[in-house]
Amino acid sequence: MSQQPFDFARMGRRSFLRAAAFAAATPILAEADLAHAAQAGAVPAGLAVHGQGPDVPPPGAVLINANENPLGPSKAALEAIAKAAPLGGRYDRIGETEMLAMTFAEQHGLKKGYVEIYAGSGEALHYTVLAFTSPTRSFVTADPSYEAGMYATLTSGAKIVKVPLTSTYAHDVKALVAADPNAGVIYICNPNNPTGTLTSKADIVWALDNKPKGAILLVDEAYIHLSDAEDVMDMVAADKDLIVLRTFSKIYGMAGIRAGVAAGRPDLLAKLKAFGQNPMPITSSAAARASLLDSDLIPARKKLIGDTRRDTIAWLKANNYKVIGDSQSNCLMIDTGLPGKAVMAAMKARNVYIGRTWPIWPNAVRISVGTPEDMAAFKTAFKAVMENKAMAELKGARHAGVDLAAIEPRLHWS
Amino acid sequence: MSQQPFDFARMGRRSFLRAAAFAAATPILAEADLAHAAQAGAVPAGLAVHGQGPDVPPPGAVLINANENPLGPSKAALEAIAKAAPLGGRYDRIGETEMLAMTFAEQHGLKKGYVEIYAGSGEALHYTVLAFTSPTRSFVTADPSYEAGMYATLTSGAKIVKVPLTSTYAHDVKALVAADPNAGVIYICNPNNPTGTLTSKADIVWALDNKPKGAILLVDEAYIHLSDAEDVMDMVAADKDLIVLRTFSKIYGMAGIRAGVAAGRPDLLAKLKAFGQNPMPITSSAAARASLLDSDLIPARKKLIGDTRRDTIAWLKANNYKVIGDSQSNCLMIDTGLPGKAVMAAMKARNVYIGRTWPIWPNAVRISVGTPEDMAAFKTAFKAVMENKAMAELKGARHAGVDLAAIEPRLHWS
């Protein structure tokens, strides 16, 4: 496993923080800007057409680069938004957010104080890293995995310890637990982003029982409803040292509406709150609760997205493209054998926006599962790109000299 | 001026943080819970009916305790929400939040990088205190003024320095600037919450020019459109050491929808972002931009709310009640001559929820300006309470032994 700090243009974290505080935009800050753009849902500097309005994908673009749900909010969620919006002159006087927490708690066998509502799970993820990591308490993560926690260490000053996935692309819980006796947070994303691969509940419970004292497990279940994975909410109910994240951005189709959950012992959740817990939009809380109460939503969407994923994987394999692992999520990784960033750029030129690469696998790109129509467009464009002669010449190159800013897609908080 | 730390049940801040991290609920934590309840828009523990669903005010309650706008979101804002919501399956791919920032910047003579969008100004206020105060950099505030910044020092560990308002209830800028050579943030709320009184632009500019080196001014203009006060956005454009906050929670009537602005030099705003900047709900950004583009909104609502305020003040004075200062906002303070908390409890018993007290003025209560119907109900209830014999017996008492948890209303982020 590597113990290097997360590489923001090879600049140390403390130097970064000093620079960020005092300097104007520099190449180093451009990397940080990318992270912040991710957090803001804004456009990375390199993509913006300055002074000409916001940069948005062109009409007809196929957006399979941010693990979004093209189905959008459910009918019940949209109705709840329409009903709540006219009451928006007031803060939440109708108990929407509290009712959301109570409904979630009830559905998951938790006491009410074990559930806190945030405007997406990203806030809770960020605050968990701020609360439980520090220059002396590291952030331990699988590699590749979702990067938001690593970005948060820029603020906490924590060391990042990356642990490669196993040969089946599960989290290597033995290595994660052994990675650093002074771990503050051990991050487990299940199913994992970007691979969509699972880690068994037995392994997560083993990690809980064997982690360094003082560390907590941060189990990110953003994608769990898309898979057959067992959740670990019973470990929360059992007062273990973990925080479990859920989001309404994925199967519920509310990435742009914003709602998420942090579940954990009240004393753990209290530490997050010190960093802020903004009042929820009543529209978002109402939509989230309506989504929880829609008992058809999860099975119907799981089947629909799963069918599209299975079709896409079958097509990729039939065409001898290499899919990494066995995704049970709304994303998957393809090892292209080419510099991934060049593939992304070539796909973008065909108006198909695919997901990013991870440093550990520079030849792999992440594909989100869109609509069947999205995936048909993806297949056509991907085949054309992979059969392109100029692309083929890049084979074996790890760095194609492609301008990162020109092709790096947005990163997104869950 | 007093240099005491903010009084959370007289417990030191460090002890608090230790206790909060490890202890179960205690009277001290109940105070912190109150603050966090404020941030979450949740119900303070003392008000909750445990296990019986969320505690919400009873039907017909008159809610003039949180400086809300009973007019709610404008028609244009509601239409924008309805239009954006179905696109909520994706993060902001349509540039809503960036367009909001650009529109705000253009309307205020700022370059785009000088404007950041948050889900209300409270997030930006909280992060400003986290970024610019510390155990060695204090938080300097008028007294009484909006308390959210003081709560944020619980996380930053900063000392709080309180400076009483002047005899005309303006900010005493000379005393604020002289309060602490190691000030990190000097907070100026204009119009002030809770008094609704103004501080002149000349005074704010003087404070900017004479503040301790290394300090920034945090100018909270949450209520400015309700008043005739001049704003200080030109100081932002001039690259001065200040951050100006605006919210859509007040005149725009979007407290429950959540949108706000932090304006400042990009290097100052970058420091806030390290603590988090969550992607905006596209519904909120769309509603905020529609509100900015509705040129009739501010003059119409300013007149409506102003008329109701003027009527309320005239009635109070005609009945020999003592109004503190000359409010130009949607709130005002009344010196009741009785323990304010007892007055609040008695008003609540009549289903009229009025605003809270501040420690410096224990006999004063804050009244938000509701609809004319709200204020008619207020007048009837207030007269009855003030003429009640049992209440009159409390005259002169500073502490009536009234249970704080039973009557303290929610505090709210702007």
Side-chain angles (χ1 to χ4, degrees):
Chain A
M1 81 200 65
S2 76
Q3 297 226 358
Q4 305 149 350
F6 191 48
D7 178 16
F8 285 104
R10 298 184 302 277
M11 193 184 200
R13 206 165 296 107
R14 276 186 205 183
S15 310
F16 166 82
L17 285 170
R18 272 199 300 274
F22 301 113
T26 69
I28 295 115
L29 276 180
E31 281 293 304
D33 287 345
L34 200 66
H36 291 313
Q39 295 169 7
V43 179
L47 284 175
V49 184
H50 293 293
Q52 294 184 29
D55 180 83
V56 295
V62 174
L63 302 176
I64 50 172
N65 62 337
N67 291 359
E68 295 163 328
N69 185 340
L71 300 171
S74 70
K75 188 165 168 286
L78 290 176
E79 286 168 1
I81 289 171
K83 199 173 155 201
L87 308 174
R90 299 193 181 279
Y91 298 93
D92 185 355
R93 297 300 189 109
I94 50 177
E96 277 296 351
T97 304
E98 199 180 355
M99 286 192 289
L100 170 57
M102 291 167 70
T103 302
F104 187 92
E106 198 177 312
Q107 290 186 346
H108 294 85
L110 299 173
K111 284 177 274 186
K112 189 175 140 243
Y114 286 64
V115 173
E116 293 288 348
I117 306 299
Y118 287 88
S121 58
E123 275 192 303
L125 199 170
H126 192 77
Y127 297 145
T128 300
V129 175
L130 299 194
F132 293 94
T133 78
S134 69
T136 59
R137 284 283 186 186
S138 69
F139 179 77
V140 178
T141 178
D143 188 22
S145 191
Y146 184 50
E147 312 96 322
M150 293 194 283
Y151 283 111
T153 65
L154 279 174
T155 301
S156 75
K159 182 176 72 173
I160 294 163
V161 186
K162 295 183 187 180
V163 177
L165 297 172
T166 68
S167 60
T168 60
Y169 308 102
H171 283 61
D172 186 340
V173 291
K174 291 206 168 138
L176 285 166
V177 158
D180 183 359
N182 294 313
V185 169
I186 299 174
Y187 177 70
I188 295 180
C189 187
N190 192 37
N192 189 43
N193 179 6
T195 52
T197 47
L198 305 191
T199 300
S200 73
K201 179 166 178 175
D203 273 2
I204 298 175
V205 172
W206 185 91
L208 254 182
D209 290 339
N210 291 278
K211 65 170 182 56
K213 206 177 141 108
I216 65 155
L217 249 60
L218 177 60
V219 182
D220 188 340
E221 296 186 342
Y223 300 91
I224 198 148
H225 293 123
L226 295 157
S227 77
D228 296 327
E230 268 189 276
D231 71 36
V232 290
M233 285 296 175
D234 57 341
M235 295 294 103
V236 171
D239 283 327
K240 302 275 189 179
D241 294 336
L242 83 164
I243 289 173
V244 179
L245 303 178
R246 289 284 179 88
T247 183
F248 289 86
S249 297
K250 303 304 172 188
I251 203 161
Y252 294 110
M254 285 177 39
I257 306 297
R258 315 301 305 141
V261 170
R265 273 204 326 267
D267 66 301
L268 300 179
L269 296 179
K271 295 189 87 176
L272 276 62
K273 287 203 222 172
F275 291 94
Q277 189 182 32
N278 202 21
M280 281 288 290
I282 57 172
T283 36
S284 307
S285 289
R289 191 162 65 94
S291 300
L292 284 182
L293 295 175
D294 180 351
S295 56
D296 294 336
L297 189 153
I298 290 174
R301 291 182 166 203
K302 182 182 175 187
K303 176 166 183 345
L304 215 58
I305 295 166
D307 285 349
T308 310
R309 178 188 67 236
R310 284 182 283 271
D311 172 82
T312 303
I313 291 174
W315 179 87
L316 286 164
K317 290 187 173 171
N319 285 271
N320 294 315
Y321 299 121
K322 192 180 163 199
V323 178
I324 301 179
D326 180 22
S327 170
Q328 288 203 20
S329 186
N330 69 345
C331 62
L332 55 99
M333 289 292 269
I334 305 171
D335 181 352
T336 66
L338 297 167
K341 286 170 182 168
V343 175
M344 288 167 62
M347 291 292 284
K348 189 185 170 197
R350 287 166 174 80
N351 217 15
V352 177
Y353 288 58
I354 62 168
R356 59 192 180 274
T357 64
W358 269 251
I360 193 174
W361 293 344
N363 291 353
V365 292
R366 190 188 69 188
I367 311 295
S368 302
V369 177
T371 63
E373 295 71 30
D374 289 339
M375 303 324 284
F378 159 76
K379 291 171 189 172
T380 304
F382 190 69
K383 211 166 184 358
V385 165
M386 295 301 285
E387 290 174 0
N388 180 286
K389 271 193 184 165
M391 287 297 291
E393 283 167 17
L394 295 174
K395 197 135 191 165
R398 286 175 64 93
H399 301 287
V402 180
D403 178 17
L404 170 68
I407 57 170
E408 183 78 6
R410 305 159 206 216
L411 306 171
H412 286 285
W413 282 19
S414 298
Chain B
M1 79 199 63
S2 76
Q3 297 225 359
Q4 306 148 348
F6 191 48
D7 179 16
F8 284 104
R10 298 186 302 276
M11 192 183 201
R13 204 165 298 107
R14 273 185 208 182
S15 309
F16 166 82
L17 286 169
R18 272 198 302 273
F22 301 112
T26 68
I28 294 113
L29 276 180
E31 282 293 304
D33 288 346
L34 199 67
H36 290 314
Q39 295 170 8
V43 179
L47 284 177
V49 184
H50 292 295
Q52 296 185 27
D55 180 80
V56 296
V62 174
L63 301 175
I64 50 173
N65 62 338
N67 291 358
E68 295 163 325
N69 186 339
L71 300 170
S74 70
K75 188 164 168 287
L78 290 176
E79 286 168 0
I81 290 170
K83 199 172 155 202
L87 307 174
R90 299 192 181 280
Y91 299 93
D92 185 356
R93 298 298 190 109
I94 49 177
E96 276 297 351
T97 305
E98 199 180 353
M99 286 191 289
L100 170 58
M102 290 168 69
T103 301
F104 187 92
E106 199 177 311
Q107 291 186 346
H108 294 85
L110 299 173
K111 285 179 273 185
K112 188 175 139 243
Y114 286 64
V115 172
E116 292 289 348
I117 306 299
Y118 287 88
S121 58
E123 276 192 303
L125 198 170
H126 192 76
Y127 297 145
T128 300
V129 175
L130 299 194
F132 293 94
T133 77
S134 69
T136 59
R137 284 283 187 184
S138 69
F139 179 77
V140 178
T141 179
D143 188 21
S145 191
Y146 184 51
E147 312 96 322
M150 294 194 283
Y151 283 112
T153 65
L154 279 174
T155 302
S156 75
K159 180 177 73 174
I160 295 164
V161 185
K162 295 184 186 179
V163 176
L165 298 172
T166 68
S167 59
T168 59
Y169 308 101
H171 283 61
D172 185 340
V173 291
K174 290 205 169 142
L176 286 165
V177 159
D180 183 359
N182 294 314
V185 169
I186 300 174
Y187 178 69
I188 295 180
C189 187
N190 192 38
N192 189 43
N193 178 6
T195 51
T197 48
L198 304 192
T199 300
S200 74
K201 179 166 179 176
D203 272 2
I204 298 175
V205 172
W206 185 90
L208 254 181
D209 290 339
N210 291 279
K211 65 170 181 58
K213 207 177 140 105
I216 66 155
L217 250 60
L218 178 59
V219 182
D220 188 340
E221 296 187 343
Y223 299 92
I224 197 147
H225 292 124
L226 295 157
S227 77
D228 296 327
E230 269 189 277
D231 71 37
V232 292
M233 285 294 175
D234 57 341
M235 295 293 103
V236 172
D239 284 327
K240 301 276 188 178
D241 294 337
L242 82 164
I243 290 174
V244 179
L245 303 179
R246 289 283 179 90
T247 184
F248 289 87
S249 297
K250 304 305 172 185
I251 203 160
Y252 294 110
M254 285 176 41
I257 306 297
R258 315 300 305 142
V261 170
R265 275 203 325 268
D267 66 302
L268 300 179
L269 296 179
K271 295 189 86 177
L272 276 61
K273 287 203 224 173
F275 292 94
Q277 189 181 33
N278 201 20
M280 281 289 290
I282 58 172
T283 37
S284 306
S285 288
R289 191 162 65 94
S291 300
L292 285 182
L293 294 175
D294 180 350
S295 55
D296 294 335
L297 189 152
I298 290 175
R301 291 182 167 204
K302 183 182 174 188
K303 177 166 184 339
L304 216 58
I305 294 165
D307 286 348
T308 309
R309 177 187 67 237
R310 284 182 284 270
D311 172 81
T312 304
I313 291 175
W315 178 86
L316 286 164
K317 291 188 173 171
N319 285 273
N320 294 315
Y321 300 121
K322 193 179 162 199
V323 178
I324 300 178
D326 180 22
S327 169
Q328 290 203 18
S329 187
N330 68 345
C331 61
L332 54 99
M333 289 293 268
I334 304 171
D335 181 351
T336 65
L338 297 167
K341 287 169 181 169
V343 175
M344 288 166 62
M347 292 292 285
K348 189 184 168 195
R350 286 165 174 79
N351 217 16
V352 177
Y353 288 60
I354 63 168
R356 58 192 180 276
T357 64
W358 268 251
I360 193 175
W361 293 343
N363 291 352
V365 291
R366 191 189 67 187
I367 311 295
S368 302
V369 178
T371 62
E373 295 71 31
D374 289 339
M375 303 324 285
F378 159 75
K379 290 173 190 172
T380 303
F382 190 67
K383 210 167 183 2
V385 165
M386 295 300 286
E387 290 174 0
N388 180 286
K389 270 195 185 164
M391 288 298 292
E393 283 167 16
L394 296 173
K395 198 136 191 166
R398 285 175 65 91
H399 301 287
V402 179
D403 178 16
L404 171 67
I407 56 171
E408 183 78 5
R410 305 159 205 214
L411 306 171
H412 285 287
W413 283 17
S414 298

